[in-house]
Amino acid sequence: MTSNPLFLAWLTLMSLGIAAVLVTAGGAEFFSPVLFGGLLLLLAWAKARIILSRYLGLWQAPGWLSGFSWVIGLFCVLLLCLYAVAGLSR
């Protein structure tokens, strides 16, 4: 097995992609709509963090990685709040 960081990042992205497909394929019956949306946004946030860290090289600049992670995380929370409010208004 190799310990190449890009290969490991690629494997992680593939596994998160498979998890997202499994959540969307069968998750709507098992989870509430808000939890369903939260799971998808959490997976998207994790994938974005891996891309920023490994592919864009921000692991060498932890301050920038932390800043981008916070901004993307807050954006995901905003999207989740909008999704929840839209679901409550139905």
Side-chain angles (χ1 to χ4, degrees):
M1 196 69 192
T2 182
S3 64
N4 183 358
L6 289 180
F7 180 72
L8 294 176
W10 179 79
L11 279 179
T12 307
L13 286 172
M14 290 300 113
S15 63
L16 288 172
I18 291 170
V21 168
L22 292 176
V23 167
T24 55
E29 298 91 30
F30 299 113
F31 304 117
S32 69
V34 175
L35 183 60
F36 177 73
L39 283 173
L40 289 178
L41 285 170
L42 181 66
L43 289 169
W45 177 81
K47 289 171 71 173
R49 186 163 160 77
I50 290 169
I51 290 168
L52 286 170
S53 175
R54 290 296 165 187
Y55 288 104
L56 296 180
L58 288 182
W59 63 273
Q60 296 173 338
W64 282 96
L65 179 60
S66 176
F68 276 113
S69 295
W70 272 100
V71 169
I72 293 171
L74 290 174
F75 183 68
C76 286
V77 168
L78 173 69
L79 289 177
L80 183 61
C81 290
L82 292 173
Y83 179 72
V85 167
L88 291 175
S89 66
R90 285 188 202 174

